[in-house]
Amino acid sequence: MGEPPFRRLMSAFRSRNPPSLERDDRVLQLFENRAALKKERADLKDEILRLQDTLAQQQGATEHVQGQIERLEILLGDPAKGRQALVFFQLKALWKAASESVSALVQELSLQQEERERRAFLAEYQGRQFELRRSAESAFQAAQEAHAACRATLASLQQERAVKTGWWRYFQRRRVESRLAAQENLLRSCTRALDLSREDLDLIISQSAPDFPGLSVLARRSINLAAIVYAEIHAMPLQRTNLMPLVAQAARRREPAFNYGDAAACEACLTEIAKARVSMPTAAAVAVELRHRTELLQPVAAYAFAEDVVPSPESISSSALREDYWGLRALLLS
């Protein structure tokens, strides 16, 4: 027998149109690889541009620093200007040391107060949860007891109906069945109440403590007042000399000033700066004074709004806040 007509037809079709699925897959794969390579090339170009921009910024910063070093070398090479520059940078160092001291106090007080308030917050939350859980457990136990009593009554009625057989007990059986239907409805209600009370208890048990909301307004106000007082304590030794305005001026400038007088005046200024650095107070050394003065300010400090934590300078007669000693405003909590 010869080849069936259908197979002959398919053979002829294949001879004219050879299979191309494998070739199509290869072409599709080539297109996909090409698209992926183009994307990688574009990403690399973006990365190169970003790195070139970063490099240019770094080169600019390096050139700026190099220029500062060269200018400083020129200044220090000139005896008169070098002495002036030394006074300038010593004044800036004094300002920085005082600013860092006030900042350290704010951070220390913030950490201490945050720990206290966090513990109080968790204790309050746990107390509320204890009461809620106790109430939910009591409600769940009551629902269990009501459910058990309802089931017991239902079982008793079922037994009573089972024994009331015979036609002569028809009306008695009807009365029991009526009570039985009402009890079944009551059992369904008790079951729903039990399920709800169990869900309430499970929800309370599964709840985790909320995030600590942060320092309270009163705490931030107290810390800020302490920082203001501490800034004033740092300024007190300088206010007995002429250093305070010089320190404030130097803090505002990037390049050295040359208004510190002759060599003798510069030497005298450097001596005063050294004394101020040695006598700079620490929080531990002035703890009693700091606490006392802060407590005096608390009842007189005025705030523009209920959520404000920085008092008006006039309400506390604070030159430290008004003149922004040691960059105080940036150090205070908001």
Side-chain angles (χ1 to χ4, degrees), residues 9-29:
L9 180 62
M10 291 300 298
S11 298
F13 179 79
R14 288 196 184 100
S15 63
R16 295 178 184 177
N17 300 278
S20 61
L21 291 179
E22 184 177 352
R23 181 184 61 192
D24 291 344
D25 288 341
R26 289 199 302 271
V27 172
L28 180 61
Q29 187 64 43

Side-chain angles (χ1 to χ4, degrees), residues 54-66:
T54 302
L55 179 61
Q57 293 178 7
Q58 292 295 330
Q59 288 175 340
T62 302
E63 292 173 358
H64 177 71
V65 172
Q66 187 63 37

